[in-house]
Amino acid sequence: MNASTTSQSPHKIEVNDVYKVFGREPKKALALAEQGKSREEILKATGQTLALNRVSLSIDHGEIFVVMGLSGSGKSTLLRCLNLLIRPTQGSVKIDGREILGLNESELRLLRRQTFGMVFQGFGLFPHRSILENVEYGLEIQGVDAEQRQAKAREALEVVGLKGWEDQRPDQLSGGMQQRVGLARALAIQPEILLMDEPFSALDPLIRAEMQDELIELQSRLDKTIVFITHDLQEAIKLGDRIAVMESGQVKQVGTPEEIMMEPADDYVREFVRGVDRSSVMTAGAVMAKPTALTLVRDGPRVALRKMEEAKISSLFVVDRARKLQGLVTADDALEAVRKGIQSLDGILKSDYDVVHPDTSFEDLIPIAARTRYPIPVVSEDGMLRGIVVRATVLRALAESREERDA
């Protein structure tokens, strides 16, 4: 495909079969990689370093996509391949369906200036410039006139909570504030994609947690596509809509935090996530079960009682034909209705129970499970009953999580 051609793509970024070899004879390394040789074997045989080994993944618009792995896993190399600061040895990188490996230098510069913002671990601020001048820098490089770039820089500083600090120097700011300046500088050019290479790892734990919270809040307002690099699993779980786990230049698994934690793809990922508190990523949707029995709102108390007896339970959730939750009926109330000759469930339905969404966190489920007398219905935004969570499930998962953490 011609480099200037854009195809319809559901993804903001697509990486397909990307290899990166550092060395003067990459073809030798590629040939061995395609034979399934390991990074260590290739290095020993050729002296070439296989930094990326057939990496393929896609990133959607508005997603915080976290790439994580230990030092040397290839995560930072992958990040720089996305805007061709490091050029892949082989493969394809597309932005909005457009292949960028064929861009000429002027097209590539334009793409970087208009599409990408970068935030690094080192703050990279100019000590002799004011905060405002630091944030203006990217716009200055683009040739934006002074009045317009100052206005955009001030707007970006306000977005990151640094209004009023425009005239200070970097050494007058704390580490967290300096990182905010770096973020503001990236945002000032109004990029579609933010590339963030371990931006919070140099901060102390409290400030780091604050910056993570601020990034989540910013994303809710700005809706950028963010590729975030980290070696910290807890940070990845907190920030990522999806996570790619890398090892020795390969992507071992891509999934939601819940999928990575609950369904590790191989022993490496399993070991990587071992000991992490699962309750921090589990949701109601992950632990819910299909109801053992339901009854329709049109059914009478006798039908409800029979279903409870068959399922050996003492209460039933009541739904309509579209499976929308209408209420709950207990065995005591149904039996009393039968004795009184009542033939409808309408007058005996209970509504004094907690309802949760599939995305409700496990931590939020715990107090509900502690106080409820009934299973917890999991209901989607359209009112459909998707499943139930029973107290025993919550308590068992909590116990398992504590055992893993203690181990």
Side-chain angles (χ1 to χ4, degrees):
M1 182 173 69
N2 186 282
S4 62
T5 302
T6 300
S7 65
Q8 293 296 319
S9 172
H11 307 298
K12 188 67 178 178
I13 302 171
E14 294 175 84
V15 177
N16 291 300
D17 296 333
V18 163
Y19 293 85
K20 177 59 189 177
V21 178
F22 290 107
R24 295 183 178 181
E25 298 179 290
K27 289 184 179 179
K28 290 183 178 180
L30 289 175
L32 292 176
E34 289 173 356
Q35 294 174 25
K37 300 296 184 182
S38 69
R39 175 189 282 183
E40 292 73 19
E41 290 172 323
I42 292 171
L43 179 62
K44 184 176 181 179
T46 68
Q48 315 293 294
T49 299
L50 183 64
L52 296 178
N53 187 353
R54 201 172 187 177
V55 171
S56 295
L57 51 82
S58 60
I59 300 170
D60 295 330
H61 170 80
E63 183 176 31
I64 299 182
F65 188 91
V66 176
V67 183
M68 64 167 303
L70 301 177
S71 178
S73 62
K75 55 189 186 296
S76 292
T77 300
L78 174 59
L79 184 79
R80 285 160 174 76
C81 282
L82 299 182
N83 63 355
L84 304 191
L85 286 179
I86 293 177
R87 184 170 286 273
T89 305
Q90 183 173 295
S92 168
V93 179
K94 295 179 181 179
I95 306 298
D96 290 322
R98 181 192 191 191
E99 178 60 66
I100 66 171
L101 290 182
L103 298 179
N104 61 39
E105 284 302 314
S106 62
E107 290 172 327
L108 185 54
R109 281 196 299 271
L110 187 63
L111 177 77
R112 288 171 179 159
R113 290 175 181 177
Q114 294 182 345
T115 303
F116 292 98
M118 292 198 74
V119 184
F120 300 98
Q121 177 180 348
F123 309 135
L125 304 181
F126 299 112
H128 61 285
R129 286 180 171 234
S130 70
I131 299 307
L132 184 65
E133 290 167 340
N134 267 280
V135 176
E136 286 182 53
Y137 180 72
L139 297 166
E140 185 180 332
I141 294 297
Q142 291 183 8
V144 177
D145 68 79
E147 184 177 349
Q148 186 179 3
R149 71 177 184 246
Q150 283 188 13
K152 288 186 175 181
R154 291 181 186 278
E155 182 181 339
L157 283 169
E158 186 171 357
V159 166
V160 300
L162 287 179
K163 182 178 181 181
W165 294 85
E166 294 86 351
D167 298 326
Q168 306 301 309
R169 301 283 181 182
D171 62 3
Q172 295 174 288
L173 275 60
S174 67
M177 294 174 76
Q178 289 184 48
Q179 192 57 281
R180 286 191 184 94
V181 176
L183 181 56
R185 182 173 56 192
L187 293 174
I189 64 172
Q190 298 179 326
E192 299 171 24
I193 300 169
L194 270 178
L195 304 180
M196 307 184 75
D197 192 2
E198 302 205 48
F200 307 147
S201 61
L203 305 175
D204 69 54
L206 285 177
I207 297 176
R208 184 173 187 168
E210 289 175 3
M211 289 299 296
Q212 291 165 357
D213 292 337
E214 289 188 17
L215 180 62
I216 293 170
E217 196 277 328
L218 273 174
Q219 175 66 349
S220 70
R221 291 189 281 127
L222 301 179
D223 194 32
K224 301 293 183 183
T225 301
I226 300 174
V227 185
F228 190 101
I229 303 298
T230 184
H231 62 271
D232 186 319
L233 180 58
Q234 292 286 11
E235 184 169 66
I237 289 169
K238 181 175 181 178
L239 295 177
D241 294 310
R242 287 188 300 146
I243 299 169
V245 181
M246 293 192 68
E247 191 257 339
S248 296
Q250 294 181 305
V251 172
K252 309 298 285 186
Q253 184 173 0
V254 176
T256 64
E258 189 173 289
E259 289 167 345
I260 297 291
M261 290 291 297
M262 305 301 290
E263 302 173 20
D266 60 17
D267 289 341
Y268 178 81
V269 180
R270 189 173 295 106
E271 182 64 23
F272 208 99
V273 303
R274 188 169 66 87
V276 175
D277 184 0
R278 291 188 179 184
S279 68
S280 63
V281 295
M282 285 193 299
T283 61
V287 297
M288 71 182 183
K290 183 179 179 180
T292 54
L294 293 173
T295 192
L296 293 173
V297 69
R298 67 179 185 183
D299 294 334
R302 290 183 182 276
V303 174
L305 273 174
R306 187 180 72 249
K307 289 184 176 182
M308 283 186 252
E309 183 180 1
E310 291 172 350
K312 295 180 172 56
I313 55 178
S314 58
S315 63
L316 272 179
F317 284 110
V318 180
V319 297
D320 63 13
R321 282 183 170 273
R323 205 182 171 88
K324 290 189 175 181
L325 183 62
Q326 303 298 305
L328 177 140
V329 59
T330 67
D332 289 341
D333 289 341
L335 181 59
E336 183 65 19
V338 169
R339 288 172 176 167
K340 292 180 177 180
I342 298 173
Q343 298 182 8
S344 171
L345 294 175
D346 288 336
I348 60 172
L349 291 184
K350 292 185 178 294
S351 59
D352 58 337
Y353 50 83
D354 293 282
V355 175
V356 299
H357 188 269
D359 290 336
T360 299
S361 71
F362 186 83
E363 291 177 345
D364 289 338
L365 280 175
I366 294 172
I368 297 174
R371 67 174 177 260
T372 188
R373 294 180 294 162
Y374 311 116
I376 305 167
V378 183
V379 177
S380 54
E381 291 180 358
D382 57 5
M384 299 277 287
L385 180 64
R386 299 299 181 185
I388 61 169
V389 178
V390 297
R391 294 182 72 243
T393 300
V394 176
L395 296 175
R396 178 180 56 79
L398 182 61
E400 289 177 353
S401 178
R402 286 176 174 169
E403 286 174 2
E404 288 187 0
R405 186 170 64 247
D406 292 344

